[in-house]
Amino acid sequence: MEEPVMNKQQFIATIPILDEKTLKKAAYIYADYPERSAVESYFPAIPMIRHNIDPTAEISVIVIFTQAGNYKHNLELFYKELSAVSDEFNVDLTSNVIEIPVPYEETKKKHTEFFVNIGNALTDDADLFMDLTYGSKVSPITEFASLVYAEQAKKCHIKEVVYGKVMGSETPTIYDIKELYRMSQLINTMSFLPNADLEKLLNSFNEDQK
């Protein structure tokens, strides 16, 4: 008798370089999923994990951090919160962690290595949840670009691509932007068809939001 195939989940978390006075714990809500309760954390990746974790799955966590500022303290803080999630759901999230350190200096070599490192860290056929919140200006572009490799080469299932926003007195909010990826991929696919009206397709996205 064949053993049942275990579901795979992979979460990608980003760590800030902010100092302790600037990095604030916030009660994050999801803009797109109002039924989800607020989760208090320093890191938008933690609510993403808590709301999507399947304790029966094979779970791994990719942790991305820029080697600058207060990253070491913030990394330690993240692991404390991750351990708390482990205890809450009775799973071990900290033993299957892949760290991707990113140099602070911006170079073409750094961008290429970062992209390759993400690709090599991905798990085949996993449900993928990606947090883009923290990092240099190039970091979320690189992470977003890696989704193509994740889906096409690793056969991952893109479930969430999120970023968190904390601004003054506004409610701390997490936004899921995976539809931007879906739209770009659909345009790319349709471009191979003869006589495809890509402009019509593009503008149809706005119609879907009405």
Side-chain angles (χ1 to χ4, degrees), residues 7-13 48 52 60-62 118-119 121-131 143-152 154-162 176 178 181-182:
N7 184 37
K8 300 176 185 176
Q9 288 188 315
Q10 191 159 47
F11 298 96
I12 300 180
M48 179 186 71
N52 291 289
S60 59
V61 181
I62 298 174
I118 295 173
L122 294 169
T123 298
D124 289 302
D125 196 35
D127 291 342
L128 187 63
F129 304 83
M130 176 180 282
D131 158 47
E143 292 151 8
F144 196 83
S146 73
L147 292 172
V148 176
Y149 184 80
E151 192 167 49
Q152 299 300 321
K154 306 297 284 186
K155 306 305 179 187
C156 292
H157 316 284
I158 313 302
K159 295 298 186 179
E160 285 188 12
V161 182
V162 308
D176 185 357
K178 70 174 177 294
Y181 172 73
R182 293 289 179 219

Side-chain angles (χ1 to χ4, degrees), residues 85-171:
V85 177
S86 294
D87 293 340
E88 180 180 355
F89 289 92
N90 195 29
V91 294
D92 184 2
L93 296 174
T94 58
S95 64
N96 196 7
V97 171
I98 302 169
E99 292 187 348
I100 301 181
V102 183
Y104 181 72
E105 296 76 16
E106 298 293 349
T107 65
K108 183 178 180 179
K109 181 175 183 289
K110 163 194 166 176
H111 302 153
T112 302
E113 288 182 348
F114 183 25
F115 180 79
V116 171
N117 288 341
I118 295 173
N120 286 330
L122 294 169
T123 298
D124 289 302
D125 196 35
D127 291 342
L128 187 63
F129 304 83
M130 176 180 282
D131 158 47
L132 305 171
T133 305
Y134 296 117
S136 68
K137 290 183 178 180
V138 179
S139 292
I141 299 172
T142 308
E143 292 151 8
F144 196 83
S146 73
L147 292 172
V148 176
Y149 184 80
E151 192 167 49
Q152 299 300 321
K154 306 297 284 186
K155 306 305 179 187
C156 292
H157 316 284
I158 313 302
K159 295 298 186 179
E160 285 188 12
V161 182
V162 308
Y163 76 92
K165 177 185 176 184
V166 179
M167 187 72 69
S169 60
E170 295 180 16
T171 301

